[in-house]
Amino acid sequence: HTQIHTNDYHCAFTLPAVVQTLGPKRWERLFPLFKLLVRNEQRAVRRVMSHSLHELGRLLGEEIAERDLCSPFHLFLGDLDDVKMGVVKNMAAFLGVLSPSTREKYLNVIKETCDTSTYSNWRFRLLIANQLKDFTRLFSSCSTFNVIAPLCFDLINDEVHVVGDSACGAMGALLKRLGETEKMRQEQICCQIVEFQKGESYFVRQQYIRICNALLDSADVDVNIFVDKFLEPLLELAKDEVSNVRLLLAKSLKGHFDKLPLEQLRTTLEELRVDRVADIVNIITSAEGQSS
């Protein structure tokens, strides 16, 4: 009995390699085994299958993936958390195999996976946040604006900070995607980003700084766009009454000194150089020393 269980696990583990060797034309011979492994009583076997489903989709191609893999995908989403983790972690890769029209049907699946009403669901929200950049490229510009963009902002505001930090990193890709075809919608997203700078909570204002960091680090956003849309609100935070906001701003400026126009930074640097918090003064002094 133990040997049978071990064999099932090894079958699941090696199935992608077998599919790669035999190719899509021999899939029909493997499909009965695949169905048995997907519904195997051992969670370890199902976990392996869940984590490899996107790879099978890549090997088999769009037509077979849509016909034979979408049902197991939904099955794993309703499984135990450690099994579900596989399809959630690789959701963007799996959806990327499907046709554009089929992908659109999975937008609600992404939203439901990001249920923010349950704190314990944060690990799944983090997995989705880590894939937001990819999601911006998978869907139509309309769906990106109406579904993916609001999801980005929801996750940036997540009560679990690591989720919010990860979501901040997607804003560059989001702006680039909308800028390709939807300049007006891109402008709306820029306005929504700036709203973080006005947040009543100091955490929200810190998130604005983190978004700016991500935009400056992103190859998707031209620095001139950043300077035009986001730099002035960013520098205004040098007057923030909360020292942790000013401290994060100082770290941000130090990390991006070479990308920003010194003339526009001058007044802000003078303010931070005489800040009452010694750590802020030291960071700015160090940054200016490195640039000179």
Side-chain angles (χ1 to χ4, degrees), residues 1-13 37 40-46 48:
H1 186 69
T2 302
Q3 185 62 44
I4 292 174
H5 282 194
T6 302
N7 288 343
D8 289 349
Y9 180 84
H10 288 307
C11 280
F13 194 83
L37 293 173
N40 195 280
E41 63 181 14
Q42 298 177 83
R43 65 195 294 178
V45 173
R46 300 196 309 278
V48 170

Side-chain angles (χ1 to χ4, degrees), residues 101-121:
S101 60
T102 302
R103 283 178 216 155
E104 298 282 322
K105 300 174 183 176
Y106 284 84
L107 286 164
N108 280 336
V109 172
I110 297 172
K111 289 169 61 178
E112 290 166 4
T113 304
C114 285
D115 177 21
T116 56
S117 63
T118 307
Y119 180 87
S120 61
N121 194 44

Side-chain angles (χ1 to χ4, degrees), residues 65-125:
E66 292 191 3
R67 186 189 70 207
D68 294 339
L69 303 188
C70 287
S71 179
F73 178 85
H74 285 282
L75 190 67
F76 289 140
L77 281 175
D79 209 318
L80 300 169
D81 279 359
D82 60 336
V83 177
K84 177 180 177 179
M85 193 79 67
V87 286
V88 174
K89 180 180 180 180
N90 300 293
M91 191 177 291
F94 179 76
L95 296 183
V97 177
L98 309 180
S99 66
S101 60
T102 302
R103 283 178 216 155
E104 298 282 322
K105 300 174 183 176
Y106 284 84
L107 286 164
N108 280 336
V109 172
I110 297 172
K111 289 169 61 178
E112 290 166 4
T113 304
C114 285
D115 177 21
T116 56
S117 63
T118 307
Y119 180 87
S120 61
N121 194 44
W122 72 267
R123 290 179 178 82
F124 292 114
R125 298 199 301 276

